Amino acid sequence: MLEIREINHNDSKLWNDFVISNIHSNYSHLYEWKVIFEHSYSLKTIYISIFDDNVLIAALPLCLMDYPTKKTFAISLPYLNFTGLIKSDSYEESTLLELIEVYLKNKGLSYIELRSISHKPGEFVSGICTLQRKLPQDHMQLWDELNAKVKNQVRKAEKIGLSPKWGKNQLDVFYSIYARNMRDLGTPVHGKNFFENIIKILNDYVQILTIYKGDIAIAGMFLVKFKNSLSDPWASSLKEYLDDCPNMLMYWEALKYGCALNLDEFDFGRSEYNSGTFKFKKQWGAYPIALDYRLINYSEREIKTTISTYNQNKAAHVKNMWKLMPYKISLWLGPKIRKYIP
């Protein structure tokens, strides 16, 4: 008999033990994100666990998005690339999802959006994907595997005198670069307290890398290490310095860091297939893996994923407005809007 329970702080160790031991989990499955969402945006969460004879066999973290003009929906998880259902191998995913669907039906939700990564080797990729690169133990082997163009751009950054700096104490520096870059791209920013909470609550898992030109920080990356993988969910650079190739040096240093830690892979994060960011990541030897964003619809109307809805209806208008906004106003208003862009 399978039983669903909602996990709270008292069972956080049980949850994390299951996450860490599961082959398909990633850093966003950790229980700590429940606390981060609650502290940063006052978002409610439902961390669903499924037990078989009192043994935890599946877990699905959900965050409730309560829009002012829409009915509440759940997503796994907002602001992160993929956090789908994880389970013990002997159980069918479809059976577990049906059980979860029935359980959540009476919660008053309009729909559930599941953000998962494909586990099908060799699956054709055409839409939203993440890009990952296998890491050798020796960074010199990694260097040898890179193409000449990438190497030349890294060398250019080094010859100009750009230099890397590591340390979680660089949040203010990173956030200044991130916030300016997001404004220039036309995207509302997370509040600095979001990143402060991540560092405070996930301290052992995170690191910050910045790139300096003299005394000026011109690029920054927020990294998360989990099990055998290193990921960069947030990275930015100042557009006026792009000709100096700070992004190239930054990613080279991050990949070197992963090799030094004897990690198996680097996850470059989500991109649309064949987009500009996709091509940038692919040049490092990364390969695409499909992301599966699915809906469980409780309403009678047709529903699209949040990314599809945002891109089709809102992104162009928001971007054009946001690029013209004074920087200080974007810092104040951005987090209030970013909360509703999962």
Side-chain angles (χ1 to χ4, degrees):
M1 178 67 71
L2 300 180
E3 176 193 5
I4 286 186
R5 303 177 197 168
E6 293 183 27
I7 292 293
N8 56 34
H9 181 69
N10 294 333
D11 296 313
S12 60
K13 185 179 184 304
L14 175 67
W15 177 281
N16 274 351
D17 286 347
F18 181 74
V19 167
I20 292 170
S21 66
N22 188 276
I23 190 173
H24 295 309
S25 66
N26 66 79
Y27 68 88
S28 58
H29 284 98
L30 288 166
Y31 181 86
E32 283 81 354
W33 287 100
K34 177 182 177 73
V35 184
I36 292 167
F37 293 138
E38 291 172 352
H39 286 191
S40 303
Y41 287 119
S42 300
L43 293 172
K44 297 179 181 179
T45 56
I46 303 175
Y47 272 46
I48 290 179
S49 60
I50 300 179
F51 289 80
D52 187 355
D53 196 20
N54 224 28
V55 176
L56 180 58
I57 57 94
L60 176 65
L62 293 167
C63 192
L64 303 184
M65 306 300 294
D66 188 10
Y67 286 14
T69 59
K70 293 183 179 180
K71 201 171 181 181
T72 302
F73 68 94
I75 187 168
S76 68
L77 284 168
Y79 323 131
L80 304 171
N81 294 327
F82 52 94
T83 321
L85 177 74
I86 54 174
K87 64 181 183 63
S88 300
D89 288 339
S90 56
Y91 296 83
E92 289 293 330
E93 180 176 295
S94 58
T95 301
L96 299 176
L97 288 177
E98 286 176 9
L99 187 65
I100 292 171
E101 180 178 352
V102 171
Y103 178 81
L104 292 173
K105 192 170 185 178
N106 295 323
K107 294 284 186 179
L109 302 174
S110 57
Y111 66 93
I112 303 166
E113 181 175 317
L114 303 175
R115 294 181 170 181
S116 305
I117 188 170
S118 173
H119 300 302
K120 301 173 184 176
E123 180 178 8
F124 176 73
V125 177
S126 61
I128 300 173
C129 60
T130 190
L131 288 98
Q132 298 178 350
R133 196 214 194 278
K134 297 296 183 184
L135 295 176
Q137 291 186 349
D138 182 359
H139 75 272
M140 291 310 300
Q141 180 183 339
L142 174 67
W143 180 259
D144 290 340
E145 293 172 357
L146 298 177
N147 66 50
K149 181 181 178 181
V150 170
K151 292 179 182 179
N152 287 337
Q153 289 178 320
V154 173
R155 290 190 187 105
K156 176 182 178 180
E158 292 174 333
K159 288 178 181 177
I160 289 171
L162 303 191
S163 59
K165 184 176 180 181
W166 290 90
K168 285 175 280 194
N169 60 342
Q170 299 184 95
L171 178 58
D172 287 346
V173 175
F174 164 80
Y175 188 77
S176 176
I177 297 167
Y178 159 80
R180 288 190 177 276
N181 183 56
M182 291 298 103
R183 194 281 308 270
D184 292 342
L185 292 173
T187 303
V189 294
H190 286 292
K192 189 164 74 170
N193 72 315
F194 177 65
F195 296 101
E196 288 172 340
N197 286 327
I198 294 173
I199 292 174
K200 179 181 178 181
I201 296 168
L202 280 175
N203 188 273
D204 293 338
Y205 295 94
V206 302
Q207 185 58 272
I208 293 176
L209 166 64
T210 56
I211 301 297
Y212 275 77
K213 184 175 185 178
D215 296 330
I216 304 173
I218 63 174
M221 179 182 288
F222 198 102
L223 294 143
V224 184
K225 178 176 70 71
F226 180 71
K227 294 195 295 189
N228 66 339
S229 181
L230 185 65
S231 306
D232 72 307
W234 299 281
S236 289
S237 59
L238 300 180
K239 65 179 182 179
E240 58 265 36
Y241 293 97
L242 289 180
D243 287 344
D244 295 336
C245 300
N247 284 337
M248 303 303 291
L249 181 60
M250 182 165 64
Y251 274 91
W252 167 240
E253 292 294 331
L255 290 165
K256 276 172 57 180
Y257 178 69
C259 292
L261 294 176
N262 293 319
L263 300 178
D264 294 337
E265 67 182 18
F266 187 93
D267 192 313
F268 287 82
R270 185 176 67 200
S271 288
E272 187 74 26
Y273 184 79
N274 223 25
S275 65
T277 58
F278 176 93
K279 293 174 182 177
F280 175 86
K281 297 167 184 178
K282 200 169 187 300
Q283 71 182 332
W284 293 96
Y287 55 92
I289 302 176
L291 295 181
D292 180 15
Y293 286 13
R294 285 181 285 166
L295 298 173
I296 298 174
N297 189 3
Y298 293 116
S299 68
E300 295 180 356
R301 63 189 181 91
E302 182 181 352
I303 301 291
K304 296 180 179 179
T305 63
T306 51
I307 288 181
S308 297
T309 301
Y310 178 77
N311 287 342
Q312 290 179 12
N313 299 334
K314 301 177 183 178
H317 302 294
V318 172
K319 285 181 180 180
N320 293 334
M321 176 192 73
W322 213 259
K323 289 177 182 179
L324 300 174
M325 186 172 294
Y327 175 63
K328 289 186 178 180
I329 295 178
S330 74
L331 286 180
W332 172 78
L333 185 58
K336 303 180 190 310
I337 297 176
R338 190 66 179 85
K339 174 181 178 178
Y340 299 107
I341 307 175

